[in-house]
Amino acid sequence: MDGNDERLDVIRSFTVNSFRLDPDSWRELVLQDENRVIFKGFFSSQDFRNLFIYRDSESGLSVSLHFPKNVQTKVICVSKTSRDAFSTGSVRERFMIQEVQGDSAMTSLVSVCEEVTCPLLSNQESSGAAGEVEEPQRIMERKKNETLVMKAQIEGWTFLPHQHGNTVHDHNLHDNSKGWKSSDLKLSQACDWTITEWLNLVSEFLQQDSSEAVLDKVKPLPSEEFNFWRSRVKNLQSLQQQLQSSRAQQVASIVQQTGNISWFTLRDVYRRVEEGLQEAEQVSLALSPLQEKLEQLEQVEYQQLGSNMAAVMEGVHQVLIRSEVYRRPGRLMVLLIEICNLFIQKSRDFLRGEAVMHGLVSETGRVLDDVRLVIWTLKTIKEANLEIQNQGGVQIPAQDGITHCWNSSSHLSFIHLDILLTRLQSIQELLCVTLQLSQLDQVLVSGVRGRMWTDEVQNVYQDFLCHVRVLSEYTCDPTDPGDKSFELLLDQFQAQVSDQERRLVSVLSRSFAECCVSSSAAQLLQIFGFLLDRPLVQDELLPQLGRLVKLVLMELDQTKLLFYTEREKSETLIRSKSSTAARLCWTRQLQLRAEEAMNSYKTVQHLCAGSAEGQLVDQRFQELADLLQVFRDQVSTERISQLDLDCGFILDQPLIQHTVQGMLGVSCSQQLRAALRELRYASRETDLMLHPHAARLFTCRDDITQSYLKLSDMVSCYNQVLSDALQVELPLIQDQLEELKQHLSELQRNTWRSGGLQLLVEQQTERVLIFHSTVSEARANMDAMTHIIQGWAELHLLQRSGDSLLVGGATEQSCRGLREEGQQLLRLTQSSSGALLAISLQLQETGSVFEPSVGVGLPDLLKSIINDIYAAASLPPGLSVNRHGNYQVSLQQRPALCELEQEVMSHLVQVRKEAEHLRAKLDRYSYLWESDRRGVMEDFLTYGRQLEADELEAEVTPPTLKDFRREIESLQTLSTEVAHLDDVITLLGWLQVNLQPFRESLLSVINVWKHMYTGYLLDSLTDSVQQVSQRGNDDEESSSSSFCLTESVVLLEAAGVQLPEHLAAQIQC
């Protein structure tokens, strides 16, 4: 609407004259956007009967569809004479324009008429003759009614006026039931007029419909629907109050007493108002939950709207169930249109049209995500409605007891939504094209003429950017479906994009023709992959795709030919593996080669779907794959059979064995490595089924590999010690070698099938590594000591001249060097020899004893060592002139050495005390070898425990399974404690006590004790099972044993007792 609209002429003329305005002021009023909407709504909508123009102290001249509040000046009221919408043209006869005062003036005028003027004129004593005041009274009454009607229209409710008549106010006439004369004709006519006017006003009000705004294409929101019914309730309540007022009751009483036919009309008015009020209250109550839900959605983030659409549509359908009004034709469609208008408005506010166009050159991805979100959100409205329809629609109970099914399948309900979705999908396509073609900036074509093709692509990209910048400068809102200029601009842009796509197809086709292998052609298509979904690109490029298909077919045929020509000599390809593994590896390479060709074809497979060429490629590839699979299955069968034989042979071999040269070696070392390698290859084949021996070796391949590596290291260290040992060293390490051989013999008795293999290998390997480390360290120390002594031999500390000794070579520096080297020699000697003396603690029948004895044998041994040291002093000749004598006697007579000898012997006494203290400490286990096991067992079986020494008698209590568990667990704890005793303990730094013999003997004793209890349980279990078998009953209670069979088995297994095979079989049965 503009300022030249003919419908505004009469309003403009009256307003300019009334307010004495200049034409510019009126033009400014009309050209404002808000005012244009108000004028358009007034002319186009049937809901608005009045238009108010007034002066505002802040904004100047204003216009409103509602009477302004707090306005003290005059207001121009433009009222329609009918509710019809006015099209363009002259509407002078359809308007009633008048000047009214503001709120305070209108109220004051009504109050004066009701409280002053009308009562004075109606008082015959103060006003004189009736004829003199009848006309003024009628005029004032009419003016008061007009004022009240205007006030009611301003406040949004309907006023029921009363026709003037003196008789209406004369109560005496009502009391006289027989005095009606011809003079009462005016009273009857006044009542007829009043009732007729009421009927017209009520009928006109009840005919108001909220769908008028939809029909006028104003796009109302749900809030207008809710406000319509809320104001309708208030207006009907006001009409009901007016009809129940005293004056209305007077009119009803008159027409009823006179028998006027208007009495039936008045009763119809009563009925229609009452029914209308009930209907309006019912609708308001039904709309209340939906209104609350929509008000909540107006406060949430847009991203959360889609998940709430189902609840909104459910609310709409609940309105149908609760309200009969919305079951009428078209009523639900109006409500759905208003709801769609609400979400359309929120969607457009979320997108912000100017941000959409700016997104073409900045943050295109984010804007595209927002557009997709809006499209998804709007589609969820229709999907939610469709989902309810698919569930059977809405079940509506009717008055006849029959349940009717309703659905809202009319497309008119979502017509505005569909129009916006169409526009948004066009915008989405625009943004997608922009994103796709923006990738041209990163395109780099390889090949002989790749630089030329890349430059041409960049030229296309620069042209595209120019078109995008032009489109981004569009200033109108692209989300407004009513703006047709955007569609014209979009069509122009799409034509430009089509031209650029043709240029790109030309570049792609020419570079595609230069590809000689399928991988390079597929790589080129992947570079331009973002364009392959464009319909125009597909149509133009489809003839060129046949070249890629031909290349793929050629490579598949070459692979098949290579398979036939090289099948018999495939083992020559990989010489480091067996022929079987080589064949499998070769077939895998051919499979990968064929799959690579197929991967190249898959880049365009979706474009060639259903074509003859595409079916031929699939057929050729499947034939080749089946051919390779058959060959692979044949080779695998042979390979698995041979591998199982090899694994079975390896599993039965001992872990280590002696070689011909007397050294140690890992049994079947080469075969084991080859088998493990084959199993590693087999693990890569997902379709291979291993035979039992190979499967067992494969299951524990990690443990066997670790054990093999440790055994190889152990064997290498052991052989190194033997091969490097000198003749003089062999007696020194002979005892340790014999001990190692005893331990290693256990490895020779066990095979790769044995249980606990990893722990056994680890223990024996540790022993050998310690022995190797000790011998290596001793050899290193010996080499260092030899080097020092050789250096001393080369020193010339004394010189001889004839029979005389001359001092010449000894200096302070050489003496200091001798002292330092002597200290180093002493440290090397101590680290090599460790403890000076070594004994062992053993468990014999008499108890624990030391070998040799610390009481007799040890002092003699130490005395002999001291004598050997003195005897060594007799070996070097003396330095005297005659060279007679030696140094032994002089050393034995030196007081310092005598004192040192006494100190050594005193240390021996201390060491003896420490040794006896150690033996006494270990004698805490003496009850294990001293106790009478048979007596202890008899006490246990009688009393359930061992009697104390001071107990002579006790209550006979046979042991329970709990008592057996207590004793067995106690022995197991004791066994663990003894097993953790140190192998060697050094006392005072020079007496080494070997505890291994004592520990092993004590562990054997503990095992005998534990076997005493477990053997009794095993015998009892055997007897019970035999009894059950003889009776042919599975019930455990049938046995005479007091022990539960299941718990007995569990206890024995926990104690490490393996049930005999026949007994285990009987228990399982």
Side-chain angles (χ1 to χ4, degrees), residues 774-1042:
T774 303
V775 173
S776 299
E777 182 181 0
R779 287 174 177 171
N781 293 342
M782 195 64 189
D783 292 339
M785 290 187 290
T786 302
H787 179 72
I788 293 174
I789 294 175
Q790 288 177 352
W792 286 359
E794 295 175 359
L795 289 176
H796 299 284
L797 301 179
L798 298 174
Q799 295 181 2
R800 182 183 299 272
S801 177
D803 293 335
S804 302
L805 294 175
L806 302 177
V807 179
T811 62
E812 182 64 28
Q813 181 177 1
S814 61
C815 292
R816 183 168 59 251
L818 286 173
R819 284 193 296 269
E820 293 176 355
E821 291 176 348
Q823 293 294 331
Q824 182 179 1
L825 188 63
L826 180 60
R827 288 193 299 270
L828 291 174
T829 304
Q830 292 175 347
S831 71
S832 297
S833 60
L836 179 62
L837 302 174
I839 59 176
S840 64
L841 181 64
Q842 298 184 6
L843 183 60
Q844 300 179 358
E845 294 181 359
T846 57
S848 58
V849 295
F850 287 110
E851 285 291 339
S853 174
V854 295
V856 179
L858 191 60
D860 295 340
L861 178 62
L862 184 59
K863 190 65 176 179
S864 65
I865 292 175
I866 294 175
N867 292 333
D868 290 341
I869 294 174
Y870 281 127
S874 64
L875 297 177
L879 295 177
S880 61
V881 175
N882 53 14
R883 300 185 182 181
H884 293 295
N886 53 48
Y887 300 102
Q888 180 178 1
V889 176
S890 62
L891 288 178
Q892 289 177 340
Q893 295 176 355
R894 295 188 64 174
L897 293 179
C898 293
E899 293 178 1
L900 184 59
E901 181 180 353
Q902 294 298 324
E903 182 179 356
V904 169
M905 298 306 293
S906 65
H907 279 301
L908 177 61
V909 175
Q910 295 179 2
V911 167
R912 289 171 56 188
K913 292 181 180 180
E914 290 293 331
E916 291 297 337
H917 177 70
L918 174 63
R919 188 170 67 88
K921 183 178 179 181
L922 295 176
D923 281 346
R924 65 181 183 272
Y925 304 112
S926 60
Y927 68 91
L928 292 173
W929 63 77
E930 292 178 353
S931 299
D932 182 9
R933 286 192 292 273
R934 179 177 296 178
V936 171
M937 190 61 181
E938 291 177 356
D939 290 345
F940 177 76
L941 295 177
T942 304
Y943 307 109
R945 59 184 177 86
Q946 183 180 357
L947 297 180
E948 301 292 339
D950 55 350
E951 284 187 288
L952 299 178
E953 293 183 0
E955 182 181 356
V956 176
T957 306
T960 64
L961 201 59
K962 183 178 180 180
D963 297 326
F964 276 92
R965 180 180 291 105
R966 182 192 66 239
E967 296 296 331
I968 292 174
E969 290 179 353
S970 175
L971 290 171
Q972 287 178 335
T973 303
L974 194 62
S975 177
T976 303
E977 179 182 340
V978 172
H980 284 81
L981 292 176
D982 295 331
D983 292 342
V984 175
I985 295 180
T986 302
L987 302 178
L988 299 180
W990 58 283
L991 179 60
Q992 178 177 290
V993 181
N994 184 7
L995 297 181
Q996 289 185 6
F998 174 81
R999 183 181 62 190
E1000 293 176 357
S1001 299
L1002 185 57
L1003 287 174
S1004 300
V1005 173
I1006 295 174
N1007 287 332
V1008 172
W1009 278 93
K1010 186 170 69 172
H1011 179 71
M1012 181 176 64
Y1013 292 101
T1014 56
Y1016 182 86
L1017 278 178
L1018 187 59
D1019 294 340
S1020 176
L1021 179 63
T1022 304
D1023 295 340
S1024 299
V1025 171
Q1026 290 178 354
Q1027 293 177 12
V1028 172
S1029 300
Q1030 292 174 0
R1031 298 180 184 182
N1033 188 357
D1034 293 335
D1035 189 2
E1036 295 182 3
E1037 295 180 356
S1038 63
S1039 65
S1040 61
S1041 175
S1042 59

Side-chain angles (χ1 to χ4, degrees), residues 646-657 665-673 676 693 696-697 700-712 746-758 760-761:
D646 295 341
C647 291
F649 174 76
I650 293 171
L651 289 173
D652 294 333
Q653 297 302 309
L655 299 181
I656 60 175
Q657 61 185 4
V666 180
S667 300
C668 304
S669 177
Q670 294 182 355
Q671 295 92 326
L672 179 59
R673 289 198 302 269
L676 292 175
H693 297 309
R696 180 169 183 175
L697 189 60
C700 54
R701 66 188 184 282
D702 294 335
D703 295 340
I704 290 180
T705 302
Q706 294 295 328
S707 299
Y708 171 75
L709 295 176
K710 291 179 180 179
L711 286 175
S712 299
E746 189 174 0
L747 293 177
Q748 294 175 324
R749 292 191 300 269
N750 284 271
T751 65
W752 291 106
R753 296 181 185 270
S754 304
L757 183 64
Q758 193 171 10
L760 176 63
V761 171

Side-chain angles (χ1 to χ4, degrees), residues 347-363:
S347 299
R348 293 184 60 188
D349 294 341
F350 172 73
L351 288 177
R352 293 180 294 114
E354 66 279 1
V356 172
M357 302 310 298
H358 183 69
L360 292 173
V361 294
S362 175
E363 298 183 347

Side-chain angles (χ1 to χ4, degrees), residues 395-447:
Q395 302 297 326
I396 305 173
Q399 295 180 356
D400 55 4
I402 301 176
T403 300
H404 300 281
C405 185
W406 181 93
N407 62 70
S408 56
S409 59
S410 175
H411 69 281
L412 295 176
S413 302
F414 304 99
I415 184 170
H416 298 304
L417 193 70
D418 292 335
I419 293 174
L420 179 61
L421 280 174
T422 302
R423 173 60 62 87
L424 291 177
Q425 288 170 352
S426 299
I427 296 175
Q428 178 184 0
E429 176 66 17
L430 170 63
L431 294 171
C432 289
V433 171
T434 303
L435 271 181
Q436 289 176 345
L437 296 186
S438 296
Q439 301 179 47
L440 294 174
D441 186 34
Q442 306 297 328
V443 169
L444 181 62
V445 183
S446 59

